[in-house]
Amino acid sequence: MKPQASPKITPPGAGREPELLALARSGDREAFATLYNEHHAEVSRYIRGRVRDVHLVEDLVSETFLRALRRIETFTWQGREFAAWLVTIAKNLINDHFKAMRTRMEVAIGDALNAEAVSTSAEDDGLRDLAAFEAAETVHAALLVLTPEQYGAIQYRYLGELSVPETAALMRWTPGSVKQLTHRGIASMRRRLAVAA
């Protein structure tokens, strides 16, 4: 009887992705690294098409692969590509991020409205909620006119409640540049809001 050759890892695309997945599920870091290298560009491209902030893209790509690594044992090969599973994870992360951002905007706007007047009726509450929703939609539309850098600076400073130095460190810019980006971004948003009014 001839001794059988030991199986070797072949790169994805050569018809061996199910074997790589089996190895990755069993804890083989090299197999997961191969899958990471094969699919990183595709996941990154998907997220970049939906998120403007370069640093947020990097964070979401990393989190996508971290979640995939943590849940690799739940993935079973059914003829569906591993990349589709990764894109589903990325899509959920993007949705979660924007829901959280929208909630922060609505809460901040709602708090500002509550500080102006305390309502005493259900009708007042309904009108206040509607005003907060419309204000959040208006702010969201105004954010679309920003450059990716301005968007990142405003997002970190006002939605993330970070200081100028913290924002500068995250964006890899100087504090002065962050202040300038924020100032120009807010000016662009004001112009957009003036046109919408």
Side-chain angles (χ1 to χ4, degrees):
M1 233 173 135
K2 263 172 125 178
Q4 290 186 347
S6 62
K8 65 178 190 176
I9 297 175
T10 55
R16 301 301 291 255
E17 194 168 72
E19 179 186 337
L20 279 170
L21 284 165
L23 290 168
R25 275 195 303 276
S26 70
D28 186 323
R29 292 181 184 267
E30 187 179 327
F32 190 82
T34 303
L35 291 167
Y36 173 88
N37 290 333
E38 177 68 18
H39 299 294
H40 181 273
E42 185 175 351
V43 171
S44 183
R45 192 170 36 254
Y46 174 82
I47 294 173
R48 271 197 323 269
R50 285 146 186 85
V51 176
R52 295 177 65 169
D53 179 0
V54 233
H55 303 292
L56 179 58
V57 169
E58 291 171 10
D59 291 347
L60 290 172
V61 170
S62 296
E63 184 61 27
T64 297
F65 282 98
L66 279 172
R67 283 198 186 178
L69 180 60
R70 283 188 218 118
R71 299 176 183 167
I72 191 76
E73 71 281 348
T74 65
F75 183 84
T76 52
W77 181 260
Q78 299 172 344
R80 181 175 169 237
E81 290 190 24
F82 183 63
W85 186 58
L86 292 171
V87 166
T88 301
I89 293 172
K91 179 182 174 188
N92 291 336
L93 285 169
I94 293 167
N95 289 341
D96 291 348
H97 169 76
F98 284 114
K99 280 181 196 168
M101 188 173 79
R102 183 178 178 140
T103 300
R104 284 194 300 271
M105 282 193 331
E106 288 174 357
V107 167
I109 292 167
D111 287 348
L113 292 172
N114 283 339
E116 289 176 14
V118 177
S119 68
T120 55
S121 71
E123 184 180 334
D124 288 341
D125 288 342
L127 289 172
R128 189 180 66 242
D129 290 346
L130 179 62
F133 177 76
E134 288 174 348
E137 289 295 312
T138 304
V139 169
H140 179 69
L143 286 170
L144 296 176
V145 302
L146 302 177
T147 67
E149 292 80 13
Q150 290 169 342
Y151 180 85
I154 288 171
Q155 179 186 12
Y156 289 133
R157 288 281 295 119
Y158 297 106
L159 301 178
E161 299 179 359
L162 298 179
S163 67
V164 170
E166 290 169 328
T167 303
L170 275 172
M171 295 184 72
R172 297 181 183 103
W173 288 69
T174 64
S177 297
V178 167
K179 287 178 184 177
Q180 189 176 39
L181 283 169
T182 306
H183 175 74
R184 288 182 179 168
I186 289 172
S188 295
M189 288 175 68
R190 281 190 181 131
R191 284 192 297 275
R192 171 68 173 91
L193 291 169
V195 169

